[in-house]
Amino acid sequence: MPLSSGFSGASRSGTAPLEVTLCRGCIGESKHRVHAVVCDGRGRVLMSAGDPGYETFIRSALKPFQAMPFLSSGAAAQMEAGDRGIAISCASHSGSNEHAREAFRLLWNAELEASHLQCPVPEGSDSPLQHNCSGKHAAFLATSRKMAWPLDSYLQSDHPLQKEVNRRVAELLGLPAAELVAARDDCGAPTLRLQLAQMALLYAHLGASRHAELEQISRAMLAHPDLVAGAGRFDTELMGRSHGQVLSKGGAEGIQCLSRIGEGLGVAIKVEDGSRRAKQAVALHLLRQLEWLTPMSLQELEEQVLILNPGVHLEVNGSLQFQQS
């Protein structure tokens, strides 16, 4: 039965983690331990598997919240970024020409150049515009230009932009910004170390339609899932089949977050060993349990994104359990 945000009474005590087994034939070969949690917009843990308080870095699943100053500063409106510009600012994209063009459009409209980007040039590529985080960096720069903040230090933790990102995230979590723990992500931007339940709370807010900027961001991501990741990629394919009901954003090292649009529910998943295949298998497993996608959509997703060698398959054992008060 689908969850409702009216569910009450949740402790943060852990339940058994999920386990993903790679089977060769009928014999298990590898195992992955996975924690998952469902929260509502008040931060109550409704269901969990494993430890809701598990602490780890949110990685690229932070991007929708890093885009908030892009909107609140007026930069997105001033440069007429539209839904496509907002979607690329939240993206971990595949570096296609379309993605690079959208990131460049943000820079061009802010009278900036690709040379201002401080994300790396991917191996085998010619430009930082092809980096999967180029849209986020372009939005950072456009916001800094609008606010007359320094451009050369926009990735530093003490830059006004990064301080504003932390302030907005802390506000959503109901804690002082000084308590947030940040570290450098692979693209050079800060990311945050959070409890899994805090990640789920952020995604509950993203799907709740109670914050104007977050509603714009979720609408843009769902309108242009192709810009958020790319054809054949998990987030794009999931959102494209959800009929606007489920938002999906992954992060490196086994992070996957989901929002149930309109219900104010968030899901956060962490695979302890960082496996991508395991987080995607668990996401599909939980979407089936929560009944957030149709069986046909789940089957299509599984066939498209969980591509394994012949004779090999993944088994997910365990389920989300309601928290007992």
Side-chain angles (χ1 to χ4, degrees):
M1 185 173 76
L3 289 171
S4 164
S5 57
F7 183 85
S8 62
S11 72
R12 291 182 180 265
S13 59
T15 54
L18 298 157
E19 188 176 82
V20 180
T21 304
L22 177 78
C23 296
R24 192 168 298 278
C26 61
I27 302 171
E29 184 173 11
S30 300
K31 291 185 182 294
H32 310 281
R33 239 171 91 95
V34 187
H35 303 269
V37 60
V38 181
C39 283
D40 67 10
R42 293 171 60 184
R44 296 177 297 185
V45 175
L46 307 184
M47 305 178 79
S48 69
D51 181 8
Y54 189 98
E55 293 189 10
T56 189
F57 289 102
I58 188 171
R59 302 299 299 271
S60 285
L62 185 62
K63 285 178 179 176
F65 309 95
Q66 291 173 310
M68 293 179 74
F70 182 46
L71 278 71
S72 62
S73 68
Q78 183 183 67
M79 62 194 299
E80 299 180 345
D83 283 350
R84 290 180 66 85
I86 295 170
I88 200 68
S89 74
C90 302
S92 298
H93 61 72
S94 59
S96 71
N97 289 337
E98 181 184 20
H99 294 125
R101 280 195 300 268
E102 284 300 323
F104 179 74
R105 187 172 68 88
L106 295 186
L107 295 172
W108 179 264
N109 289 346
E111 300 182 349
L112 295 163
E113 303 289 341
S115 59
H116 286 99
L117 293 170
Q118 294 183 25
C119 51
V121 177
E123 185 177 353
S125 300
D126 302 318
S127 168
L129 288 166
Q130 295 166 290
H131 190 275
N132 73 92
C133 300
S134 64
K136 176 182 74 175
H137 284 250
F140 280 169
L141 284 163
T143 304
S144 296
R145 169 58 62 88
K146 172 68 167 58
M147 300 301 293
W149 292 333
L151 299 180
D152 58 352
S153 57
Y154 74 92
L155 296 180
Q156 299 302 310
S157 59
D158 59 352
H159 190 277
L161 171 67
Q162 303 304 337
K163 288 183 176 180
E164 179 63 9
V165 170
N166 285 0
R167 185 188 72 79
R168 300 302 298 272
V169 170
E171 184 177 69
L172 291 171
L173 295 177
L175 51 80
E179 292 186 10
L180 293 174
V181 177
R184 183 186 186 278
D185 209 334
D186 292 345
C187 71
T191 190
L192 298 174
R193 187 171 187 260
L194 300 173
Q195 293 182 5
L196 209 56
Q198 291 174 321
M199 299 181 204
L201 171 57
L202 289 177
Y203 274 77
H205 286 309
L206 189 57
S209 303
R210 287 193 293 266
H211 301 267
E213 291 144 13
L214 291 180
E215 185 175 15
Q216 272 188 276
I217 288 167
S218 64
R219 184 176 67 239
M221 293 174 71
L222 288 163
H224 299 285
D226 53 313
L227 294 178
V228 176
R233 294 197 169 193
F234 186 81
D235 292 332
T236 292
E237 299 301 333
L238 193 164
M239 288 191 284
R241 288 174 170 79
S242 76
H243 304 287
Q245 298 302 303
V246 182
L247 184 146
S248 177
K249 184 70 190 75
E253 296 301 320
I255 291 291
Q256 186 68 47
C257 294
L258 308 167
S259 295
R260 175 68 168 179
I261 302 301
E263 290 192 26
L265 296 173
V267 175
I269 296 164
K270 168 63 179 179
V271 184
E272 287 188 5
D273 65 9
S275 168
R276 177 186 296 177
R277 70 188 183 196
K279 76 173 183 179
Q280 294 176 349
V282 166
L284 295 175
H285 182 74
L286 300 187
L287 287 166
R288 183 173 288 109
Q289 181 184 353
L290 296 168
E291 298 182 3
W292 285 6
L293 287 183
T294 66
M296 180 177 293
S297 293
L298 286 166
Q299 182 64 33
E300 289 174 353
L301 264 175
E302 186 171 342
E303 291 173 357
Q304 184 157 13
V305 300
L306 289 183
I307 301 172
L308 300 169
N309 293 328
V312 176
H313 67 279
L314 294 172
E315 292 182 358
V316 182
N317 296 305
S319 62
L320 292 166
Q321 301 295 319
F322 282 98
Q323 292 288 290
Q324 302 299 317
S325 57

